[in-house]
Amino acid sequence: MPELPEVETVRRGLLMDLPGDTVLRVQVLRPDSIGCPGWREFCRAMAGHTFQGIGRRGKYLLFDLDRHAGLVVHLRMSGRLLLREAPAPASHLRVRMILSSGRELHFEDMRVFGRLWYVRPGQSWEAVVPALAELGAEPLDGLSGAQLAAAFARKSQPVKSALLDQRLVAGIGNIYADECLFRAGINPLRPAGDLRPGELDRLASCIQQVLTEAIDLGGSTLRDYTDSRGVNGNYQEESWVYGRAGEPCRSCGTPVTRVKLAGRSAHFCSRCQPCKRARARISGRRA
């Protein structure tokens, strides 16, 4: 699933190319890709709007349209937003917007979990996509240890699971949770509420560092993700632990460990990120 760095990379790419372009016509090839309103009304409503600014909240893209309207896009598992020269071949095309520049904005989505929502003039983003109101702290907006302390207070769940909870911190997924915790020297199995103030300060700083570095590298391409021009990301080639189970830690040489955690994988170095609970988990004893 595209995480914050991938979504931010798409946002920055589209921000260079899309503002000022007007939607002439919309074609919906997969009606369930439209979250709101119905797909026919979506086509009618979007036609004639000009793209202005583009924002982001967590993993959601927020497009400012003229006349105080908007468009929300969530890529979810395999969605891609691509500016293509028209006509252009496209695989898994779900929504096609013909633009005044002669180009087309394509929403392509192999697994069909992504969604687009039209925000009528005067409506708020949250009124149309209620999940936006539930998102936690934005990692790149000066995230602090104090904010993490408030989010993790009395949480007994593993800190890896807490980082994946979008209500606590917005935008972090499986890849970058592992990477941030490694950078901070914190084991993913430790209870979130047990982290000390100094550890939370370090984790907040590492989250911002890792996400910024990932954005600079265009995000991670493990399967479907590309930026708005169809270019793959490169962060996966620089990852410290994610996807490197059994390989030597880039810091100390200890083989990277992979365990299952709430149905997801967690990668860590048992030496750089020590934890009694992790040792018990690896040895098969009750944690």
Side-chain angles (χ1 to χ4, degrees):
M1 176 182 292
E3 302 180 31
L4 187 153
E6 290 76 53
V7 177
E8 178 65 14
T9 299
V10 171
R11 185 193 75 83
R12 294 184 184 187
L14 290 173
L15 190 59
M16 291 191 296
D17 297 324
L18 192 58
D21 223 334
T22 299
V23 179
L24 300 181
R25 184 166 60 89
V26 178
Q27 181 182 16
V28 173
L29 292 89
R30 185 76 183 235
D32 52 356
S33 292
I34 305 302
C36 181
W39 69 272
R40 290 184 178 86
E41 178 58 27
F42 180 89
C43 293
R44 287 193 291 267
M46 282 295 302
H49 274 301
T50 299
F51 287 99
Q52 296 181 331
I54 308 173
R56 179 191 53 76
R57 183 73 172 96
K59 301 176 187 179
Y60 291 82
L61 286 165
L62 310 176
F63 293 81
D64 290 313
L65 305 175
D66 65 338
R67 305 195 301 277
H68 306 290
L71 172 69
V72 180
V73 179
H74 198 322
L75 303 176
R76 291 218 171 101
M77 291 293 290
S78 60
R80 301 194 296 174
L81 272 177
L82 296 141
L83 268 176
R84 295 189 179 276
E85 300 298 326
S91 59
H92 310 296
L93 179 60
R94 308 307 180 193
V95 180
R96 173 177 173 239
M97 298 187 190
I98 295 86
L99 305 175
S100 57
S101 63
R103 301 171 300 175
E104 297 182 358
L105 180 63
H106 285 189
F107 179 67
E108 302 173 13
D109 188 8
M110 182 179 71
R111 300 189 185 183
V112 204
F113 293 133
R115 291 292 181 272
L116 288 75
W117 296 264
Y118 175 72
V119 181
R120 300 180 188 279
Q123 281 187 309
S124 67
W125 306 106
E126 294 80 8
V128 178
V129 187
L132 287 169
E134 301 176 4
L135 294 177
E138 192 66 37
L140 297 182
D141 289 350
L143 182 68
S144 68
Q147 285 178 289
L148 291 180
F152 295 169
R154 297 180 297 280
K155 299 288 184 184
S156 60
Q157 66 191 129
V159 63
K160 166 72 181 280
S161 299
L163 286 177
L164 296 180
D165 187 339
Q166 301 300 296
R167 297 167 299 180
L168 303 180
V169 183
I172 299 177
N174 211 35
I175 299 173
Y176 300 109
D178 282 350
E179 293 293 294
C180 295
L181 289 167
F182 174 82
R183 187 78 64 93
I186 297 170
N187 192 281
L189 301 180
R190 286 188 57 190
D194 289 354
L195 296 183
R196 297 181 295 275
E199 293 175 308
L200 292 166
D201 288 340
R202 188 167 68 247
L203 179 57
S205 176
C206 290
I207 287 171
Q208 294 176 82
Q209 291 172 15
V210 168
L211 296 181
T212 299
E213 291 172 11
I215 292 167
D216 290 342
L217 290 169
S220 299
T221 297
L222 303 181
R223 184 175 298 172
D224 303 306
Y225 164 75
T226 70
D227 68 11
S228 61
R229 299 182 181 183
V231 178
N232 290 346
N234 293 305
Y235 182 84
Q236 71 279 359
E237 299 172 7
E238 307 292 333
S239 65
W240 288 85
V241 288
Y242 184 85
R244 301 189 64 248
E247 298 181 28
C249 170
R250 297 187 191 276
S251 179
C252 72
T254 302
V256 172
T257 298
R258 177 181 180 271
V259 298
K260 282 289 187 180
L261 184 62
R264 308 294 295 274
S265 61
H267 301 79
F268 61 93
C269 172
S270 59
R271 183 174 181 181
C272 296
Q273 301 164 267
C275 175
K276 291 181 180 179
R277 178 174 296 196
R279 288 197 293 271
R281 182 73 172 269
I282 296 165
S283 65
R285 297 192 300 271
R286 183 181 177 89

